[in-house]
């Protein structure tokens, strides 16, 4: 039992190691800051990282259909704007973070350099999402995060519950079609949703930074070996729990999410969580194998922007190539692709020149959708 737990942790640490080795020290300064605010942060993200820079910011909550209470920050206007009614006519942007981080990560760079505040200053109504289990999204209508039942989800639930809850809320508040920006896991869950025809009616366009959909070429050998060998046993023996190693302050996620990602590494296809037992799969899906997310079914006229890096160990160039191959029948004028040769996974959220290289391209992509 302990051995299996060790392997599970190993996979997690591989993912963390990839993230940590990819950020040129930015994360090192980030983790100590985070650890000061470990379990129940006194101030929200608005207070700590937005209002202090002179922007308006609202802390909001959204409850998913399965009872998770998610925190959401809205930055309705740019710093220079006066008055409060401008948000109604603006286009909303939902910003969705990746694996083992939360919405705060987008705000680590200074106000002139980080994506949410740049978008606000460029006239967008910005909404920062925080997935279940992260520091500011740890409440549930009935479950306690100290119990396994709270952590009984994989990224399938982010697809079926978290994203729709946030989209429905933003759409209901703004009445406008939504632009989406996802990083890492935030791209995977979006692509999976779009492939099932979900969210697309509320969506104007999507920018996918450091996309992960296929993980076969992920570069950390240890991570791949661990994922390939042990995933089945972890699933059935370890069951469900929170991954949140003490003294090492990434955001929590569920064991099932890590196992689910490891399954993608192992099989090279994108499917729902595999219970690794035909009878369990049959019980959950009515089939002995989990249903696949068929990315060919993403509407071909959906405006997509994809930016990927040449030094990204998680979103490997070959795996992105695989994704682009799947998207080859996408309408040519609806797909923009940017390749940043020297960029690693976390550079897309905290690279010192992310504004010049990536965010300006995202802004240009959004602007093209007005035409
Ligand atoms: C997790 O949810 C499944 C139903 O999807 C249920 O069969 C199982 O008992 C749950 N496990 C825990 C620990 O809550
Ligand atoms: C995915 O969908 C495409 C087009 O709808 C279809 O041709 C293809 O066979 C599907 N792939 C799988 C693995 O089901």
């Amino acid at each position: 039992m302990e051995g299996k737990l060790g392997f599970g942790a190993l996979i997690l640490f591989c993912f963390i190691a990839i993230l940590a080795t990819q950020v040129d020290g930015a994360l090192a300064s980030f983790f100590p800051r985070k650890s000061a605010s470990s379990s129940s942060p006194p101030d929200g993200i608005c207070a700590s990282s937005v209002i202090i820079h002179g922007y308006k910011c609202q802390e909001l909550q959204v409850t998913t259909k399965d009872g998770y209470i998610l925190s959401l920050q809205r930055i309705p206007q740019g710093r220079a704007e006066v008055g409060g009614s401008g948000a109604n006519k603006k286009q909303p942007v939902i910003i969705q973070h990746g694996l083992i981080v939360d919405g705060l990560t987008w705000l680590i760079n200074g106000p002139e350099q980080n994506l949410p505040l740049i978008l606000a200053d460029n006239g967008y109504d910005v909404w920062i999402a925080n997935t279940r289990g992260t520091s500011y999204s740890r409440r549930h209508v009935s479950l306690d995060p100290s119990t396994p039942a709270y952590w009984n989800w994989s990224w399938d639930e982010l697809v079926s519950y978290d994203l729709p809850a946030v989209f429905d809320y933003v759409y209901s508040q703004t009445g406008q079609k939504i632009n989406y920006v996802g990083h890492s896991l935030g791209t995977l869950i979006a692509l999976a949703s779009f492939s099932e025809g979900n969210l697309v009616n509320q969506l104007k366009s999507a920018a996918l930074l450091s996309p992960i959909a296929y993980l076969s070429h992920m570069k950390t050998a240890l991570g791949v070996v661990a994922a390939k060998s042990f995933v089945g046993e972890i699933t059935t023996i370890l069951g469900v729990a929170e991954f949140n190693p003490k003294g090492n302050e990434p955001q929590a996620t569920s064991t099932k999410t890590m196992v689910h990602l490891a399954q993608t590494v192992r099989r090279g296809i994108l499917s729902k969580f595999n219970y690794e037992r035909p009878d369990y799969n049959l019980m959950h899906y009515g089939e002995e194998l989990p249903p696949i997310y068929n990315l060919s079914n993403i509407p071909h006229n959906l405006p997509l922007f994809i930016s990927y890096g040449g030094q990204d160990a998680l979103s490997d160039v070959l795996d992105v190539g695989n994704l682009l191959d799947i998207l080859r029948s996408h309408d040519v004028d609806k797909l923009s692709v940017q390749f940043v040769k020297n960029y690693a996974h976390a550079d897309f959220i905290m690279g010192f020149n992310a504004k010049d290289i990536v965010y300006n391209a995202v802004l240009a992509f959004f602007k093209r959708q007005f035409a």
Side-chain angles (χ1 to χ4, degrees):
M1 180 74 197
E2 281 210 349
K4 298 300 188 299
L5 216 134
F7 292 132
L10 183 63
I11 295 177
L12 174 72
F13 280 113
C14 292
F15 278 99
I16 295 173
I18 288 170
L19 288 172
T21 56
Q22 298 258 313
V23 296
D24 305 319
L27 213 56
S29 57
F30 171 57
F31 281 161
R33 190 157 71 95
K34 287 284 296 160
S35 61
S37 62
S38 62
S39 54
S40 63
D43 295 328
I45 290 175
C46 279
S48 69
S49 307
V50 180
I51 292 169
I52 54 162
H53 297 303
Y55 291 77
K56 291 199 166 74
C57 185
Q58 292 167 268
E59 292 285 351
L60 301 160
Q61 285 181 349
V62 180
T63 304
T64 66
K65 291 217 166 87
D66 58 346
Y68 290 80
I69 301 168
L70 310 179
S71 91
L72 185 64
Q73 290 77 38
R74 181 185 198 179
I75 308 166
Q77 61 190 56
R79 176 158 47 180
E81 286 174 61
V82 287
S85 61
N88 293 332
K89 286 170 237 98
K90 288 164 179 272
Q91 286 199 24
V93 183
I94 291 175
I95 307 190
Q96 175 61 60
H97 65 81
L99 189 65
I100 336 175
V101 296
D102 67 1
L104 190 57
T105 322
W106 294 107
L107 295 154
I108 290 173
N109 276 349
E112 278 80 30
Q113 241 94 51
N114 75 56
L115 182 62
L117 299 184
I118 288 169
L119 285 168
D121 281 335
N122 278 273
Y124 292 91
D125 176 14
V126 178
W127 303 72
I128 301 175
N130 298 269
T131 50
R132 59 182 63 190
T134 56
S135 294
Y136 300 92
S137 294
R138 291 176 75 90
R139 289 169 53 220
H140 186 275
V141 293
S142 61
L143 302 173
D144 189 289
S146 66
T147 62
Y150 176 94
W151 298 98
N152 195 5
W153 45 273
S154 72
W155 59 258
D156 285 333
E157 279 71 23
L158 307 183
V159 173
S160 6
Y161 298 112
D162 282 28
L163 273 185
V166 172
F167 267 74
D168 285 347
Y169 185 77
V170 171
Y171 193 69
S172 75
Q173 296 295 305
T174 63
Q176 305 270 353
K177 287 212 171 183
I178 296 161
N179 300 286
Y180 179 87
V181 182
H183 175 249
S184 182
L185 187 66
T187 68
L188 174 64
I189 58 179
L191 289 166
S193 296
F194 305 159
S195 78
E196 300 203 307
N198 296 327
L199 311 181
V200 293
N201 294 334
Q202 299 167 331
L203 187 68
K204 191 172 179 70
S205 69
L208 308 175
L209 312 182
S210 193
I212 56 169
Y214 302 97
L215 287 167
S216 310
H217 298 93
M218 189 177 81
K219 280 196 190 84
T220 298
L222 189 61
V224 176
V225 170
K228 287 193 174 167
S229 316
F230 307 115
V231 55
E233 293 154 273
I234 298 161
T235 315
T236 45
I237 296 172
L238 183 61
V240 287
E242 175 183 9
F243 256 137
N244 192 11
K246 289 259 182 310
N248 183 356
E249 195 66 26
Q251 294 296 310
T253 191
S254 72
T255 308
K256 268 179 100 170
T257 294
M258 302 312 297
V259 170
H260 195 179
L261 285 169
Q263 290 172 345
T264 306
V265 176
R266 191 173 55 162
R267 292 202 186 80
I269 52 165
L270 203 58
S271 62
K272 299 205 177 192
F273 184 79
N274 190 337
Y275 287 87
E276 307 281 344
R277 278 182 51 171
D279 54 339
Y280 281 21
N281 284 331
L282 206 56
M283 193 166 77
H284 286 275
Y285 305 118
E287 299 167 55
E288 292 192 353
L289 284 175
I292 65 162
Y293 291 106
N294 188 340
L295 299 190
S296 313
N297 295 336
I298 294 175
H300 294 174
N301 61 356
L302 177 67
L304 288 177
F305 170 78
I306 290 177
S307 183
Y308 68 109
Q311 301 298 318
D312 194 329
L314 202 56
S315 174
D316 187 89
V317 169
L318 292 172
D319 289 323
V320 175
N322 194 351
L323 170 64
L324 295 175
D325 193 43
I326 298 279
L327 296 174
R328 69 187 174 280
S329 40
H330 209 78
D331 292 356
V332 181
D333 60 338
K334 300 292 184 191
L335 177 64
S336 320
V337 179
Q338 179 186 46
F339 174 62
V340 189
K341 197 171 161 207
N342 61 353
Y343 255 37
H345 202 65
D347 289 329
F348 291 89
I349 29 174
M350 45 183 123
F352 71 95
N353 56 3
K355 174 186 194 291
D356 297 330
I357 294 178
V358 180
Y359 304 159
N360 282 345
V362 170
L363 284 170
F365 164 70
F366 284 162
K367 283 215 182 82
R368 283 201 296 280
Q369 311 316 318
F370 287 115

